[in-house]
């Protein structure tokens, strides 16, 4: 049953998604003026009609939350978020530091996964990015799990004993020492970078500190289309997004693998 | 601080991993006879020595749990588990039906993620697979979150109102109706299949029921090597594992996207 | 030294290419009115100026010839043409049957490679495709090496003892028998298809005839960008074009590999 | 009709290939002692029996020639040879300089394509590589079209006005000037390198000279398997071989694209 203040996804017949908070009458972009309180008591999976157009009501999944964010900077895509979350073992209750909030796409993923007792501390130097990220996080109903901090992780990370430190910044190698200090023993480090030069510098710097399991992955994803003529891969595909470098903090630098 | 009955990962200098339960003296494959109770009170990230060889002690991550399973059937790899978990929005507290336990690699991923209040109901027809899976799940310390059921999801799924139904069986199309009935509204369906013929049959059958967001993905992953000569992709790579088809249950079949 | 009637490529500073025949005053699309005879006596690699804009003069390579064709149907891209030509061992002097001329992109590749003594017999049912292909072939200066035939290779192939038969048609399996009859012993068969269903039907039909070395390949190609920030793969990439199935005619059906 | 001194491919029922010269009685590795002159008068595509085992006789294609070479160094694979030959517009009559003969796999491809009037000048510093390459080239019957030169293209290239210069050496950037001097205007440059650092240095050096169309490609190829269970990509795949950088010589350095 949908209650007041729930965040729900309204999805039209073409798959276009809208996240809305169940409150009162509001103007929803692409839908129109709607009294969102009329959703109270309805169930997920039902169909409603607004101004003559049908929508399914769904509980917003992690994918729905990413699909509906407003983008300013290039976002980290689901294929990469999935790998980051998995390899950093992100789970309910985790305390995570993010360097480079951007539009907040990865922040939303992390916040979604650490609910209800965890927290994401996300550093962003640029005020315009911080603002759009905050807006996106609120729309996803995740503001309680995120603290956006104005600052640069290459200068300072305030937190200690965190479960993971995750960077999407131009010069991740300059903040490896700070990441190490912030992490708990066994904590996970990840860094997302578009170029192989960034990968090289980051890996070399990680090797200078007590990190193990240092590894860089590139993930490619292709949709398969099932049509009348048969099955084929999609003609469209992202050729590249970024490389992701991982490592795990230990206490003794004699280990390298 | 490590306590009695904890599951810990011991990792050697080459990155070889062992999961062990902290209890008493036992024989550990590849390590030797060791009094595991001597780990009590130690901290994660520390180095210990067993029979003249050094090991790091780490809290087992989801990746460590997969890396250490004993394989009988072909397992679902991390790159695919990550995508399944992400697109099915698997999270703490979820109730999940798995069709085809196999060696239990995906079962372990799901159980790890639904802790501490969720549960995975995993159906397996073959007794030998069920046994090896059970052993792997126990080794990962996840037995409380899994119920392995002897049965075939194409005949019957007992559970109702589950958050996700995930198949790794030869004929997933034959169990779409059962999956639909087991899912809660808005619940996630996923099916992993190696061939495009299986994808085609599965997608066509999904389209016959009230599922939305029907989509098939293939994920490729390549490691990048940072060596003395520079940066290059790994020469080794999995050419193919499986295609993953997703859908989400709604209550009305008029929606197709 | 450039002579009358040569086909030359004029390439501007952005890499935009034009193929023109050295004759007299003509209007060149995107360049303007130009007396092409003024190119006579110039050398390749030189820079000329037309209406205040500079162009390099180059002898048209196989890539230049493909880059400048007018497209109506989807063309076979260089990455696939290269594989077809290589695996079919296309070389100077070859006699080749093509089924499905389309816009003539592959026809031009084949004609370019069989010069000066070989010939491409290209079957096309659709008059509009045949016309645009003929125009493209002429622009590339290859009309002497191509005969476009109005017809359907699934009905009949007139030629015998050819070095290769290459299809880009919706139902290649329906013409395997005709291909077999047209090929010389040891001759190469290739078929380009977008879907896995077409691949399956084609391979199964090939296996019913005395063909060996039956093999299907998919080729993916990604550009690497060297920029100020370092090296990275291009964000844009063709996700899929087609699968290419190969086989080689022998005289005895007892061989299968 | 097969004649004395022809090179023929004998292929067994598993697809294993042998190249042999039709001469007299000889010992063929994996086949046994055989009087090769008994092939005279036979036709391609026929089946013969040697010591109770059947073989098809085929005219060796470019792929057969690569498949049968003896490897010492890592070879350039067909997927990459095809792209190099295509983008460098290699054709009958071409004069080509190769830097780094290795086992001679690319040399054989180039020699095969420039027949009967072209020539490949291949530089190799290491005597052991030169010897194995020479042996491979002879086995492929292409010795007339290749001159293996003991030397290093970074020191000197003797030839002038060549159609293409193709490198597979660790430091291609150190020989760009020599390549430029050797090429005819409009001639093609290609360089094959495993790392992105090599790509970066090569591209930057190319940009310092009058080359246009500078472009780096990576090619991935996957086989599709048609089995009883349906169609799927091969589980095995080369994750990486090398990046190929191309450029074309012009006479004026004001052009960059």
């Amino acid at each position: 049953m949908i209650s007041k203040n729930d965040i729900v996804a309204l999805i039209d017949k073409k798959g276009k998604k809208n996240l809305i908070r169940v409150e009162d009458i509001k103007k929803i972009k692409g839908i129109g003026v709607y009294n969102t309180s009329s959703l109270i008591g309805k169930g997920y999976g039902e169909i409603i009609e607004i101004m003559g157009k049908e929508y399914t009501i769904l509980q917003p999944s992690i994918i729905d939350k990413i699909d509906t964010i407003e983008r300013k900077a290039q976002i980290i895509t689901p294929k990469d978020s999935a790998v980051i979350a998995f390899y950093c073992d992100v789970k309910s209750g985790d305390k995570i530091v993010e360097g480079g909030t951007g539009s907040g796409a990865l922040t939303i993923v992390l916040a979604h996964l650490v609910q209800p007792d965890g927290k994401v501390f996300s550093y962003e130097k640029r005020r315009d990015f911080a603002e759009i990220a905050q807006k996106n996080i609120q729309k996803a109903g995740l503001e309680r799990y995120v603290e956006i901090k104005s600052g640069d992780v290459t200068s300072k990370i305030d937190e200690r004993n965190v479960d993971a430190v995750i960077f999407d910044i131009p010069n991740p190698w300059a903040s490896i020492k700070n990441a190490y200090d912030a992490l708990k023993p066994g904590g996970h480090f990840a860094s997302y970078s578009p170029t192989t030069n960034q990968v090289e510098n980051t890996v070399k710097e990680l090797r200078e500190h007590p990190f193990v399991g240092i590894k860089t992955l590139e993930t490619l994803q292709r949709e398969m289309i099932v049509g009348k003529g048969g099955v084929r891969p999609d003609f469209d595909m992202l050729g590249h997004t970024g490389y992701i470098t991982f490592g795990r903090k230990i206490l003794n630098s004699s280990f390298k693998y």
Side-chain angles (χ1 to χ4, degrees), chain A residues 50-63:
Chain A
I50 305 175
M51 306 183 93
K53 209 174 146 188
E54 284 184 322
Y55 298 88
T56 309
I57 320 164
L58 288 175
Q59 189 167 18
S61 69
I62 196 166
I63 290 286

Side-chain angles (χ1 to χ4, degrees), chain A residues 3-111:
Chain A
S3 312
K4 185 154 183 173
N5 280 317
D6 281 357
I7 306 280
V8 302
L10 296 187
I11 309 189
D12 74 13
K13 291 204 166 176
K14 288 176 179 158
K16 199 175 160 357
K17 301 169 180 178
N18 257 285
L19 289 200
I20 60 165
R21 187 180 294 268
V22 178
E23 289 167 320
D24 42 27
I25 296 173
K26 55 175 80 173
K27 201 166 170 242
I28 307 162
K29 209 185 153 185
I31 292 186
V33 175
Y34 178 59
N35 186 351
T36 59
S37 71
S38 59
L39 289 166
I40 295 169
K42 295 207 178 294
Y44 290 116
E46 290 184 18
I47 310 282
I48 57 160
E49 206 184 294
I50 305 175
M51 306 183 93
K53 209 174 146 188
E54 284 184 322
Y55 298 88
T56 309
I57 320 164
L58 288 175
Q59 189 167 18
S61 69
I62 196 166
I63 290 286
D64 297 332
K65 289 177 180 175
I66 300 170
D67 282 353
T68 51
I69 75 168
E70 196 181 320
R71 293 158 190 226
K72 191 148 188 173
Q74 191 65 28
I75 72 157
I76 295 186
T77 59
K79 73 178 175 71
D80 294 313
S81 297
V83 170
I84 290 170
F86 199 83
Y87 275 80
C88 289
D89 203 13
V90 176
K91 57 197 169 307
S92 183
D94 276 3
K95 208 165 91 177
I96 294 177
V97 167
E98 185 188 27
T101 317
S103 303
L106 181 61
T107 322
I108 284 169
V109 167
L110 299 172

Side-chain angles (χ1 to χ4, degrees), chain A residues 173 198-209 214:
Chain A
W173 55 88
Q198 290 168 308
V199 167
E200 188 167 32
N201 289 332
T202 304
V203 168
K204 284 183 171 170
E205 186 64 22
L206 279 171
R207 287 177 182 158
E208 297 296 312
H209 296 82
I214 298 167

Side-chain angles (χ1 to χ4, degrees), chain A residues 12 32 34 53 74 85 87 102 146 148 152 154 158 173 207 213 215 223 230 239 241 245 256:
Chain A
D12 74 13
Y34 178 59
K53 209 174 146 188
Q74 191 65 28
Y87 275 80
V146 180
I148 297 187
D152 180 345
T154 62
D158 302 322
W173 55 88
R207 287 177 182 158
K215 185 172 185 155
E223 194 173 343
T241 53
T245 297
K256 293 287 164 221

Side-chain angles (χ1 to χ4, degrees), chain A residues 79-164:
Chain A
K79 73 178 175 71
D80 294 313
S81 297
V83 170
I84 290 170
F86 199 83
Y87 275 80
C88 289
D89 203 13
V90 176
K91 57 197 169 307
S92 183
D94 276 3
K95 208 165 91 177
I96 294 177
V97 167
E98 185 188 27
T101 317
S103 303
L106 181 61
T107 322
I108 284 169
V109 167
L110 299 172
H112 182 93
L113 293 170
V114 303
Q115 294 177 269
D117 299 318
K119 185 115 192 179
V120 181
F121 301 89
S122 188
Y123 289 74
E124 177 57 59
K125 287 193 300 185
R126 283 181 56 171
R127 196 170 188 163
D128 54 339
F129 285 171
E131 277 166 10
I132 204 157
Q134 189 61 48
K135 214 171 124 188
N136 282 322
I137 290 159
Q138 250 152 354
K139 208 165 103 191
L142 294 164
E143 62 277 16
R144 249 166 309 165
Y145 314 111
V146 180
E147 181 183 340
I148 297 187
K149 304 180 75 162
S150 171
D152 180 345
V153 287
T154 62
S155 307
K156 195 163 71 93
I157 297 177
D158 302 322
E159 291 71 25
R160 285 297 174 271
N161 219 32
V162 304
D163 298 283

